[in-house]
Amino acid sequence: MQSPPSFTGRSRRRTTRPWVKASDRIARLVITLGGISTIAAVLAVGVFLLAVAAPLFTGATAALDRVAPLPEGRSLAVGVDESGGVAWLLDGAGDDHGRIAVVGLADGAVLLDRPASETGLADCTAVRTTTGGMLAAVGFADGSFRTGRIGLDAVYESADGLRPDQLPARVGGAVTVDNAVIVRLPGERFSRVSLVAELGGPPAEPLGGRIIDLDVVPLTGGPLVAAVDDAGGVRIERVTTKKNMLTGKLTATPRGTTIAPIEGFRPRFIRVSALGDQLFLIAADGAARRYLIRNLDAPQMMEAFTAAAGDAGVTAVERLFGGVSLAVGDAAGRVRILFATRGEADDGAAPAAADGLRMVVARTFEPRRSTEPAGIVALAASPRSRLFAASDAAGGVRLLQSTTGMEVLEAPAPRSTADAAPAMVAEQLCIASRENRLLAAGMGSLAAWSIDAGYPEVSARTLLSPVWYENYAAESHAWETTGHEAFESKYGLLPLIFGTLKATLYSMLFATPIAILAAIYASQFMHPRWKSRIKPTIEMMASLPSVVLGFMAGLVFAPLMERALMPLVTGFFVVPVVLLLAAHLWQLLPSGWRARHAGWRLAAVAFGALPAGVMVSRAVAPAAERFLFGGDIGGWLDGHGGSSFGGWVIASLPLAGIAATALVGRGLNPWLRHVSAGWSHRRSAVASLAAFLGGVVVTVALAAAVALLLDSLRFDTRGGIFGTYVQRNALVVAVGMSFAIIPLIFTIADDALSSVPDHLRSASLGAGATPWQTAVRVIVPSAASGLFSAVMIGLGRAVGETMIVLMAAGNTPMMSWNLFNGFQTLSAAIATELPEAARGSAHYRVLFLAALTLFAVTFVVNSVAEIVRQRFRRRAYEL
């Protein structure tokens, strides 16, 4: 059906062709599917990040596998092989004065059994093995002690070399073969486990009494052993052990000293730090001493401290993974974590010793809540983390985490196989090297649990709250997953979140004003010929790779800024003043000349005023440095002399400038417009220049007055926005990231300002407003939604930026607003550490949690930005 002819003489069809309708439906379907797919993809990313991070917060589990009967006797030591299928136990009962046995944990059968007399362990009174190793020290009733190896040595075995009757029937099962044990592993693999129990020669000078406790640590020159007897005597020895490769005999050469008993102090427990430089003696009543033993011939007592709280006596002591912290259990069922640290003592705390260290109680684990408080009987540390086990006199066994201060789990209570004692009290504990097994020996029984500790080193507290880490002076936020203190990983996300916010804030403060003002000038005042050249050039900056910008910022800008720090500081204030002064001087030129050369204003600013501002900044920098910072801004930032006056002047100048601008704009300018109605253009320009210079003077005076006031009140900017200068810092990041942010904000802001309807601009100019008044009061409010979108897009780029902050920020997770030091962001931590993180580890999952945090922050910021943008858009639509 045809419509009547139009003014062109052609008729328009009233019905739409079928192919047009089909194309419209297809386009609508594709667009709908594309939008839904985009939303689904974004949500899928969030769900994936959540799925990887969620196991961090799942609870630990423990299942009691077996309670095996053993002969009555006091358990002296217990251990387990790497697979967790076979355990060894040393006791001190029987006609042979003790025995060492190997027990299969699958069925509780004794696979190997050797009398202690055959291994040199007869009549031993104390045994100490290194956590996760076979180095051991054994003390005897006659005061002697020896070092050697005790444990299980496992090697992989091929099924081809074994007979069918020598193969265990199920995974975890064990069979005795030729004085060894064959253990079946998952995946049709087998291991041959051999019992190792060999000691070297006795020490040269045994103690006079019965050995009640001892400790051993492996050092480069040979193991270091420390022992205490029941009379309070202490012996420290470094034993150099050699093994005869032909006979297999171990020869020990000891060297050390004896510490005589101290009157009024009788130690019950003795521990040595992993580095062999600290000795800890702890008495049953909680009194303790710390010695410096770097020189074994002359130990130095550093400090006396208390290891137990109140009147509760010490019942167990264990050195935790890392070799510095001590877990101390008492008769009230509490466990305290102690270590030596540097730093000022709190009120009421003991001061530091001569070596600058003092023992502190970092955290306390309260007794079990399920029963009446019962004293701690035994403690055992994990060989791979800060996890440790504690058993009490009521039969309870718990897994605790020293860093988080949390109870990971309470193991199901075992029942003793002896009829007389229904509840088993664990005298010895052991955590397997893979943290998949927990063993407890006591009262003639050996209990074994299969455990899944989860990720006990990660909790909401360690992620977001300050934690007192080992060797730290106090609680702090920290992120440290590798390095010399990797034994206690620090998973505090707050430093990374803070670094992300710091990088974003300083970058946006630097880039946003430049980009917005440039967009206003380009869209409202710049000649179209200049704009057609300059805008594409600025937009090309957005295509620069981040790695190139990071390289330039870290390796080019950073050294230059360090060498010219004071000219850079003065340039932030002098260059804008010179540019504004040049604009006022332009107004003093004859109007006809200005009209003829109006197209050269940009060139005059770029090649005249801007270099002049840089030169003036360099010229005034030495005088400003002498006046404000005593001639050395670097030393002032380090805190070496000088008052805080200069820092407050620099910090107050921007706010003082805003206040002076408001004062001149609201007070002086309306009066000038009123009185200058009949003035000539030149006279008005001179008055405007005088008002500007007066505003500059008011700004400087106001900043100086504020600085004097705050300096008199002893407030200092050092430690806040200023501090020690580090070459790669937030200022370098702000300058480098501006090359990535400014093009985005400028382009979108210019398009938003240029799209404002011309009738609004024309109406404003026709009503008598100046071009500047029209731009500020009409154009900018109308384009507010677009300007806000531009800023939010720049913000999103700054939040997720990786390479620039990675190469220019120093990658140091510090929480300080200091403009001149480094930081680490969420994205930088993910980029640098994820390739090195073991899949499925706590480190791996925490990095995904960091990614989820970044995802959530970006999502929230964009959602809020969209809400605000819609509000601006509704207001602009009303115009």
Side-chain angles (χ1 to χ4, degrees), residues 179-357:
N179 205 27
V181 176
I182 303 299
V183 181
R184 189 182 192 116
L185 306 177
E188 296 299 321
R189 297 181 300 127
F190 301 88
S191 68
R192 180 182 291 270
V193 179
S194 302
L195 176 63
V196 178
E198 52 187 15
L199 300 179
E205 297 182 17
L207 293 170
R210 172 176 170 270
I211 300 296
I212 58 174
D213 195 24
L214 73 171
D215 197 11
V216 58
V217 292
L219 299 178
T220 304
L224 178 66
V225 185
V228 59
D229 64 10
D230 54 5
V234 175
R235 176 73 182 176
I236 314 167
E237 287 192 358
R238 175 167 293 177
V239 183
T240 303
T241 304
K242 296 182 179 180
K243 184 177 181 179
N244 190 314
M245 301 303 294
L246 297 178
T247 63
K249 183 179 179 181
L250 295 175
T251 303
T253 305
R255 181 182 66 86
T257 188
T258 300
I259 301 177
I262 302 174
E263 185 178 355
F265 175 69
R266 178 167 293 186
R268 169 62 183 84
F269 302 95
I270 187 169
R271 294 293 179 266
V272 181
S273 63
L275 297 178
D277 59 343
Q278 304 285 335
L279 174 69
F280 305 96
L281 301 178
I282 302 175
D285 60 359
R289 302 287 189 272
R290 180 175 65 86
Y291 285 79
L292 185 65
I293 56 171
R294 290 192 180 97
N295 182 4
L296 288 182
D297 297 328
Q300 295 176 284
M301 205 277 282
M302 288 290 106
E303 65 174 317
F305 61 96
T306 302
D311 297 331
V314 175
T315 55
V317 179
E318 178 67 12
R319 186 181 66 242
L320 299 182
F321 178 67
V324 178
S325 295
L326 298 178
V328 179
D330 60 28
R334 291 184 294 264
V335 180
R336 309 173 85 198
I337 306 299
L338 296 88
F339 52 76
T341 183
R342 298 185 184 275
E344 297 295 332
D346 299 331
D347 293 340
D355 60 351
L357 300 175

Side-chain angles (χ1 to χ4, degrees), residues 270-459:
I270 187 169
R271 294 293 179 266
V272 181
S273 63
L275 297 178
D277 59 343
Q278 304 285 335
L279 174 69
F280 305 96
L281 301 178
I282 302 175
D285 60 359
R289 302 287 189 272
R290 180 175 65 86
Y291 285 79
L292 185 65
I293 56 171
R294 290 192 180 97
N295 182 4
L296 288 182
D297 297 328
Q300 295 176 284
M301 205 277 282
M302 288 290 106
E303 65 174 317
F305 61 96
T306 302
D311 297 331
V314 175
T315 55
V317 179
E318 178 67 12
R319 186 181 66 242
L320 299 182
F321 178 67
V324 178
S325 295
L326 298 178
V328 179
D330 60 28
R334 291 184 294 264
V335 180
R336 309 173 85 198
I337 306 299
L338 296 88
F339 52 76
T341 183
R342 298 185 184 275
E344 297 295 332
D346 299 331
D347 293 340
D355 60 351
L357 300 175
R358 60 188 178 91
M359 292 296 294
V360 295
V361 179
R363 57 192 57 87
T364 301
F365 296 89
E366 296 299 328
R368 287 193 302 143
R369 295 184 296 270
S370 58
T371 62
E372 292 295 327
I376 299 297
V377 175
L379 297 169
S382 167
R384 60 185 297 179
S385 72
R386 307 287 285 187
L387 191 70
F388 67 99
S391 65
D392 58 37
V397 177
R398 295 183 292 168
L399 282 180
L400 308 173
Q401 221 286 338
S402 65
T403 301
T404 61
M406 296 178 57
E407 178 180 313
V408 178
L409 61 85
E410 182 174 342
R415 294 291 176 181
S416 173
T417 56
D419 297 334
M424 174 183 170
V425 177
E427 299 171 349
Q428 297 292 331
L429 296 171
C430 176
I431 300 176
S433 58
R434 297 180 181 178
E435 292 186 345
N436 60 346
R437 282 279 193 176
L438 173 63
L439 302 183
M443 300 181 65
S445 301
L446 176 65
W449 292 267
S450 293
I451 61 174
D452 181 4
Y455 303 93
E457 62 269 43
V458 180
S459 67

Side-chain angles (χ1 to χ4, degrees), residues 441-756:
M443 300 181 65
S445 301
L446 176 65
W449 292 267
S450 293
I451 61 174
D452 181 4
Y455 303 93
E457 62 269 43
V458 180
S459 67
R461 180 171 180 268
T462 58
L463 291 171
L464 301 175
S465 300
V467 177
W468 198 343
Y469 296 103
E470 187 175 284
N471 296 329
Y472 280 49
E475 291 185 342
S476 63
H477 296 279
W479 172 270
E480 185 180 348
T481 57
T482 58
H484 69 284
E485 292 184 352
F487 61 84
E488 187 178 31
S489 297
K490 304 165 183 64
Y491 294 120
L493 284 182
L494 213 58
L496 302 184
I497 297 174
F498 180 89
T500 303
L501 297 178
K502 180 179 178 179
T504 303
L505 176 63
Y506 284 137
S507 299
M508 295 301 292
L509 286 176
F510 186 83
T512 301
I514 297 175
I516 295 297
L517 291 176
I520 293 175
Y521 180 76
S523 62
Q524 305 301 316
F525 302 100
M526 186 179 289
H527 193 279
R529 185 175 58 186
W530 280 99
K531 181 178 178 180
S532 63
R533 295 184 176 93
I534 291 177
K535 185 178 180 181
T537 303
I538 297 177
E539 291 175 342
M540 286 179 61
M541 291 171 53
S543 64
L544 292 175
S546 296
V547 66
V548 175
L549 296 177
F551 174 84
M552 295 293 294
L555 300 182
V556 179
F557 295 157
L560 292 176
M561 294 170 66
E562 184 180 21
R563 291 194 295 268
L565 179 58
M566 194 62 208
L568 181 66
V569 173
T570 55
F572 278 115
F573 306 99
V574 173
V575 170
V577 171
V578 171
L579 292 176
L580 293 175
L581 179 62
H584 283 85
L585 293 177
W586 178 274
Q587 297 298 321
L588 293 177
L589 298 175
S591 58
W593 192 91
R594 285 188 292 109
R596 289 194 303 271
H597 298 85
W600 294 94
R601 286 180 298 179
L602 181 62
V605 171
F607 301 107
L610 188 59
V614 174
M615 289 187 292
V616 172
S617 300
R618 294 181 61 88
V620 303
E625 188 172 14
R626 287 192 300 271
F627 177 71
L628 297 177
F629 307 110
D632 184 9
I633 186 173
W636 182 87
L637 290 173
D638 284 336
H640 300 157
S643 67
S644 61
F645 173 76
W648 283 118
V649 168
I650 299 299
S652 303
L653 274 174
L655 297 178
I658 295 174
T661 302
L663 179 64
V664 173
R666 299 284 182 176
L668 183 60
N669 283 345
W671 177 80
L672 280 178
R673 284 194 296 269
H674 176 71
V675 300
S676 63
W679 292 0
S680 65
H681 173 77
R682 185 176 182 83
R683 185 179 179 185
S684 299
V686 170
S688 178
L689 176 61
F692 167 72
L693 295 177
V696 173
V697 173
V698 170
T699 299
V700 175
L702 186 59
V706 172
L708 285 173
L709 174 62
L710 296 176
D711 184 39
S712 65
L713 297 176
R714 298 292 187 270
F715 294 136
D716 201 340
T717 54
R718 287 169 290 188
I721 59 174
F722 299 135
T724 301
Y725 189 90
V726 181
Q727 187 183 76
R728 298 184 180 184
N729 53 54
L731 182 60
V732 176
V733 172
V735 174
M737 201 178 293
S738 64
F739 285 88
I741 298 175
I742 288 177
L744 297 177
I745 300 178
F746 169 80
T747 300
I748 300 174
D750 177 75
D751 293 341
L753 293 168
S754 300
S755 64
V756 174

